[in-house]
Amino acid sequence: MKSNEQKRNEIVSSYFAEPYQTSNEFKETIEEIIEPAFKLLPKNRNEDRAFLGYNPKLTIDFEKVYEAKVPENGITRKNVLNKVTELFEGAVNWGSSLALCNVNPESNRAGLQAFLFCSLFSPNILEGEYAWNVHKAELECGAMLGDLAWDEGKKAGCIFTYGGQGGWQYALQYGKTRVLKDSMSKGIYEPCKVICSTVAQFSKQHCVVWGGIGTDNLIQIPVDDNNRMKIDELEKVLIELHEKDIPIAMVVGNSGTTDTNSFDDLEAISKLMEKYPNNPKKYGKAILYADAVIGFSWLSFKGYDFKNNPLGFNKEALPIIEEMYEHAKKIKFADCYSTDFHKSGYCPYVATSFNYRDRDEFVNLMSYIKTSKNNHDNSLKYAYLQERSPYNPMYYSLESSRSGAGSCAAWATLHYFGLTGFRLVNGWEVEHHIWLRKFIEQSKNIITVNPNNHGQVTLFRIYDELVTDAKAEYEKELNDPSYKEKLIANNKIIEAVGNKLYSWVRTGKRINGKFTPYISFSTGFRATNYNEDFKDPEAVVYALKVYAMQFHSTVETFDWVIKCVKLALNEVINEIKTTK
């Protein structure tokens, strides 16, 4: 008969797979997830749908979830896996040709495999010891991305963080620490400003609040019709701050915004910052941060022969691709920039790098505990961590424990794709957006509203079919304050169409036997030209949006998108007429 101790040990040991080649437990643990994961996928292309499994509805009981308790006795691993599988029923299938709703593409094979390796073996880039050779991935990403942006890979560095907002947070801390020279010890002892455009990513509010700057010190510059920061308006602000001796912590330039893929002119911004600097007797130099979480992938066209076009991009796509690279290469004027490899790097969540041109400056500024390498007092070091490798980001990172998964996935993708792979992917996106925009142009009541912004997204508005000139309608909406009520009414139609399409996805609706596409919409990607400061929340422009980033999509997919949008509009208009 087994003793109680033996029984306890058997139970505990069953929780963990033996990590030996002579045991099948480890392998079986991994293999067990394959079959239920496969069952969530459609059987074939004819069954393609934008959601996993067969029930697209949200089935959570939001009252009961708060009654959950830890069970007295655990259940079998098989039952746990069944429960996990149920969680993914209805989740977005990012590999579907119809999942066009966000900058969240299917993960590439090498990036996925590298990410899974880190899930298996848990490298922690807290300091070198717990990541060991794995932290080579982060270090080499810093060099490769530094070379692409600044031709200075040996001097540059990067640190992977929790997402695009983490990039903003690092940039602000970098700026505060450089500008307010003793803020590490004294804190933020006087106001300093953060400047960005009105269409900068929503992280701007989180950033200034969590960073202790406060929303009153966030200055937002209006944008032009191409959704780019107005340089003359920026200059006015810089002159005023310069004359009043008010310091700037950082200026943020968009390098591919989420909503429109617009690029600010980083070269012009940099020149103005040089012309109107912080007072050097009192403050350090403000940093210029490029929010390039989407647009960074265009840096891959560095060195591409656009004249001979060896990859054979078509004549419509080639000038657009070259234009995008011309925008992206101005990242070289920035002190730092961020990438989201889980966006235009086609990696699993989360894989964001914050990249800095001057590694020595960044590390020295940001290290609030100095290391023995810099000949500082060793008593200031963390008592329970050891420096067994030259790389110890624990002294300056926003997070302490950090998974190596993001950096490994990005590193693997950079090797797997190479510059050519990234070029092919970006070129594919442009060519397919061209097709989408052609389908839009064929309709008199639909208009693309980011025509001069290219990349991963197309934004468009659809009007009642009584509108026969969408361009003229949009011009009135943008420029005529007396047309505001019609703008609001049209915005409501856009929102209703977006919600209608979403409801079709979430009910598994089919039209002529085909599932409907999953696209999204923006409730104010830009303001009207008479509301540049966004003070009037109603004088903004809504738009439907499609992210052509799923590589199983075809020209027929985008034709289908526009057909479904028109069908949704018809239902919405009929419902409006019925309610009246």
Side-chain angles (χ1 to χ4, degrees):
M1 182 178 292
K2 294 180 181 179
S3 66
N4 286 334
E5 181 181 3
Q6 288 175 318
K7 291 177 181 178
R8 291 198 306 271
N9 288 343
E10 283 183 1
I11 294 172
V12 171
S13 64
S14 71
Y15 294 154
F16 306 95
E18 288 188 341
Y20 311 115
Q21 292 185 28
T22 53
S23 169
N24 284 325
E25 291 181 1
F26 195 79
K27 184 179 180 182
E28 287 171 354
T29 301
I30 308 307
E31 290 176 341
E32 283 171 1
I33 72 167
I34 295 174
E35 184 178 352
F38 276 180
K39 286 183 177 179
L40 289 169
L41 298 173
K43 293 178 180 178
N44 51 54
R45 188 175 294 275
N46 293 331
E47 286 291 307
D48 188 21
R49 52 188 179 271
F51 57 89
L52 296 171
Y54 296 91
N55 181 9
K57 294 181 180 179
L58 186 65
T59 57
I60 300 172
D61 186 330
F62 284 94
E63 294 298 325
K64 284 193 174 182
V65 291
Y66 300 110
E67 299 173 6
K69 298 181 186 297
V70 179
E72 183 68 32
N73 296 302
I75 61 178
T76 66
R77 192 170 68 252
K78 182 176 181 180
N79 285 335
V80 171
L81 188 55
N82 288 337
K83 284 182 171 291
V84 171
T85 305
E86 288 173 6
L87 293 179
F88 285 84
E89 187 79 21
V92 183
N93 176 12
W94 295 111
S96 167
S97 65
L98 298 174
L100 306 165
C101 57
N102 206 340
V103 198
N104 189 10
E106 179 182 14
S107 300
N108 76 81
R109 292 179 176 184
L112 179 60
Q113 289 168 335
F115 200 93
L116 288 173
F117 249 86
C118 292
S119 297
L120 295 176
F121 301 117
S122 298
N124 178 1
I125 313 185
L126 167 70
E127 42 80 46
E129 179 179 0
Y130 298 135
W132 211 237
N133 288 319
V134 174
H135 69 246
K136 174 185 176 182
E138 182 163 87
L139 293 168
E140 288 197 349
C141 279
M144 288 188 278
L145 295 168
D147 177 67
L148 282 179
W150 300 298
D151 298 320
E152 295 180 334
K154 289 184 178 180
K155 296 180 180 179
C158 83
I159 193 162
F160 276 76
T161 185
Y162 61 86
Q165 187 174 316
W168 273 74
Q169 215 67 60
Y170 268 109
L172 178 57
Q173 187 65 24
Y174 189 10
K176 289 188 303 183
T177 307
R178 185 202 264 183
V179 172
L180 302 179
K181 299 179 181 181
D182 51 0
S183 60
M184 277 284 196
S185 55
K186 293 184 178 180
I188 304 171
Y189 48 84
E190 63 177 294
C192 55
K193 304 296 182 180
V194 171
I195 301 173
C196 63
S197 84
T198 53
V199 299
Q201 211 257 358
F202 63 83
S203 291
K204 55 193 172 189
Q205 280 91 1
H206 292 284
C207 178
V208 294
V209 170
W210 284 76
I213 295 291
T215 54
D216 287 351
N217 291 306
L218 175 65
I219 300 174
Q220 300 185 62
I221 307 298
V223 296
D224 61 21
D225 286 343
N226 293 320
N227 304 300
R228 295 167 188 153
M229 186 186 294
K230 288 187 173 181
I231 298 302
D232 57 340
E233 294 295 327
L234 172 65
E235 184 169 23
K236 292 176 185 177
V237 169
L238 293 180
I239 290 172
E240 181 182 359
L241 295 176
H242 184 75
E243 290 176 347
K244 292 181 178 179
D245 201 18
I246 297 173
I248 299 166
M250 73 171 178
V251 178
V252 181
N254 293 323
S255 291
T257 55
T258 305
D259 252 357
T260 67
N261 285 168
S262 60
F263 283 75
D264 292 327
D265 189 341
L266 295 174
E267 181 178 9
I269 294 171
S270 176
K271 288 179 179 178
L272 286 180
M273 291 175 69
E274 292 289 339
K275 189 175 181 180
Y276 308 105
N278 289 335
N279 183 343
K281 294 180 180 179
K282 296 167 63 177
Y283 310 111
K285 184 179 178 182
I287 70 160
L288 174 55
Y289 169 54
D291 185 358
V293 292
I294 299 173
F296 78 93
S297 61
W298 295 104
L299 291 171
S300 64
F301 282 91
K302 178 182 180 180
Y304 186 69
D305 184 351
F306 286 99
K307 182 177 180 180
N308 292 313
N309 188 22
L311 293 178
F313 297 113
N314 68 45
K315 63 180 181 180
E316 292 177 279
L318 185 63
I320 293 172
I321 293 169
E322 186 170 10
E323 177 192 340
M324 297 302 288
Y325 172 62
E326 290 298 317
H327 288 312
K329 75 178 187 181
K330 291 185 179 181
I331 292 172
K332 68 182 179 183
F333 293 101
D335 298 285
C336 47
Y337 75 101
S338 287
T339 74
D340 275 356
F341 273 84
H342 51 262
K343 290 188 173 74
S344 47
Y346 305 90
C347 289
Y349 269 99
V350 174
T352 292
S353 70
F354 175 73
N355 308 274
Y356 29 91
R357 179 207 296 263
D358 189 332
R359 183 177 66 253
D360 287 342
E361 182 201 42
F362 180 81
V363 172
N364 287 328
L365 273 178
M366 301 284 280
S367 296
Y368 51 91
I369 295 180
K370 305 302 180 182
T371 68
S372 56
K373 182 181 178 181
N374 295 325
N375 298 316
H376 285 271
D377 184 357
N378 284 347
S379 66
L380 295 176
K381 291 158 58 178
Y382 290 135
Y384 63 96
L385 295 171
Q386 296 77 41
E387 295 178 14
R388 294 197 169 112
S389 160
Y391 186 55
N392 297 287
M394 59 190 175
Y395 294 122
Y396 55 85
S397 57
L398 179 59
E399 308 126 274
S400 295
S401 295
R402 292 184 300 118
S403 168
S407 55
C408 272
W411 180 80
T413 301
L414 288 166
H415 284 284
Y416 185 47
F417 280 6
L419 295 178
T420 296
F422 274 103
R423 291 165 182 166
L424 289 170
V425 166
N426 281 341
W428 183 98
E429 291 168 350
V430 168
E431 289 176 344
H432 282 72
H433 275 290
I434 289 171
W435 275 110
L436 173 62
R437 294 181 183 196
K438 284 181 177 179
F439 290 127
I440 290 172
E441 289 168 5
Q442 291 170 10
S443 302
K444 294 180 179 179
N445 63 325
I446 312 179
I447 185 171
T448 299
V449 292
N450 66 327
N452 297 318
N453 304 132
H454 303 278
Q456 289 78 18
V457 66
T458 290
L459 279 74
F460 59 98
R461 285 172 69 79
I462 186 167
Y463 303 102
D464 187 316
E465 289 189 348
L466 294 175
V467 174
T468 57
D469 189 343
K471 183 178 180 180
E473 183 80 358
Y474 186 52
E475 288 296 322
K476 291 177 185 176
E477 292 174 323
L478 277 182
N479 300 305
D480 188 351
S482 67
Y483 212 69
K484 177 183 166 182
E485 291 304 314
K486 190 61 186 295
L487 166 69
I488 294 171
N490 288 337
N491 280 344
K492 288 180 179 178
I493 289 175
I494 296 291
E495 184 173 9
V497 169
N499 286 330
K500 178 67 66 177
L501 289 164
Y502 180 73
S503 72
W504 286 357
V505 171
R506 287 304 173 192
T507 55
K509 183 180 178 67
R510 298 193 196 206
I511 299 173
N512 297 328
K514 295 171 63 176
F515 285 100
T516 56
Y518 186 5
I519 70 173
S520 53
F521 62 93
S522 171
T523 55
F525 79 95
R526 63 159 297 171
T528 60
N529 289 333
Y530 55 87
N531 181 38
E532 288 185 330
D533 55 7
F534 271 87
K535 287 186 177 180
D536 184 348
E538 292 184 315
V540 296
V541 181
Y542 290 17
L544 297 166
K545 53 186 179 180
V546 170
Y547 293 88
M549 301 183 71
Q550 310 308 338
F551 293 97
H552 307 293
S553 301
T554 63
V555 171
E556 289 74 25
T557 302
F558 303 114
D559 183 29
W560 180 238
V561 166
I562 300 304
K563 286 178 179 176
C564 288
V565 168
K566 290 180 178 179
L567 291 171
L569 174 69
N570 291 338
E571 278 203 16
V572 166
I573 297 300
N574 288 334
E575 288 169 2
I576 292 173
K577 291 177 179 178
T578 301
T579 55
K580 286 183 178 180

